[in-house]
Structure formats: C-alpha cells, structure tokens
Amino acid sequence: MKNNEIEIVLYGAETLCPSCVSSPSSKETFEWLEAAIERKFPNQPFKMTYVDIYQPHEEPDKQTFAKRVIEEDMFYPVVVIEEKVVGEGNPRLKLIFAELEKYGYKAEE
C-alpha cells in the first residue's frame, strides 16, 4: 500500500502547441486528468500541479523543466510523475495509470 502522496505535474501553456491545434487546452487536460485519476484511484492521495511553461515558477526544478519543454520543442501538455515524463501532447491514461500503479496505487473497478 502506498504511504506517500505522489505529485503529478502537468506542464502546459494558455496557447496550444502548434501541432496540437485540435487537442484540448493544457488546463482542460489538467482537469480531465485529475478527474480520471480520482475515478480510477478513489481515496488514494495524489497532488496535481499545473505549471505554465511561460510563467516563472517558485520551485527551481519546475522552472528548469518548463524551460526544457520550450527549448526542446516538446509537445505540451507534458505530464511528469516523480520526475519521469509519462505523457506528451495528448497524454494516454493507460501509461499514466501504469506509472501510478508502480507507486502502489490500486485501481478500483
């Protein structure tokens, strides 16, 4: 059983990335992902953090990664769990859920 809260960080921006024009916005993806994780892993704590890649962030590691998203032309939103990139552009729930299960999250059917 997991005993600590995992942080899921979504890096995105107000504007859509050039190749993601038909996709939902980063904020919409953040809300959708948060709701999907709450449904899949009810009563299991996690922390969702949204980082706008064009706004300075108070945590240096998040600021550094936000710059990397821009410099490496990553498809955003970018989903990071415990410093591992698990989704880029249009994140796949299956991959995100599988990563959370590695930390002891148990799906409730």
Side-chain angles (χ1 to χ4, degrees), residues 26-39:
S26 295
K27 283 277 196 200
E28 289 168 332
T29 301
F30 177 86
E31 290 165 4
W32 164 79
L33 182 59
E34 186 172 41
I37 293 169
E38 284 172 354
R39 272 194 308 276

Side-chain angles (χ1 to χ4, degrees), residues 50-79:
Y50 178 80
V51 176
D52 188 313
I53 60 173
Y54 296 111
Q55 299 295 321
H57 197 274
E58 61 274 5
E59 291 181 44
D61 57 333
K62 289 181 172 66
Q63 185 64 41
T64 300
F65 192 85
K67 285 185 179 131
R68 195 176 133 202
V69 172
I70 297 166
E71 289 165 2
E72 295 180 15
D73 284 331
M74 296 171 90
F75 295 119
Y76 53 83
V78 177
V79 180

Side-chain angles (χ1 to χ4, degrees), residues 70-107:
I70 297 166
E71 289 165 2
E72 295 180 15
D73 284 331
M74 296 171 90
F75 295 119
Y76 53 83
V78 177
V79 180
V80 178
I81 298 175
E82 296 298 298
E83 300 181 23
K84 179 180 178 189
V85 175
V86 292
E88 226 184 297
N90 190 1
R92 302 272 176 257
L93 283 177
K94 192 174 180 182
L95 294 173
I96 293 165
F97 291 164
E99 189 65 22
L100 287 170
E101 286 168 355
K102 290 179 190 174
Y103 291 97
Y105 284 78
K106 298 271 186 263

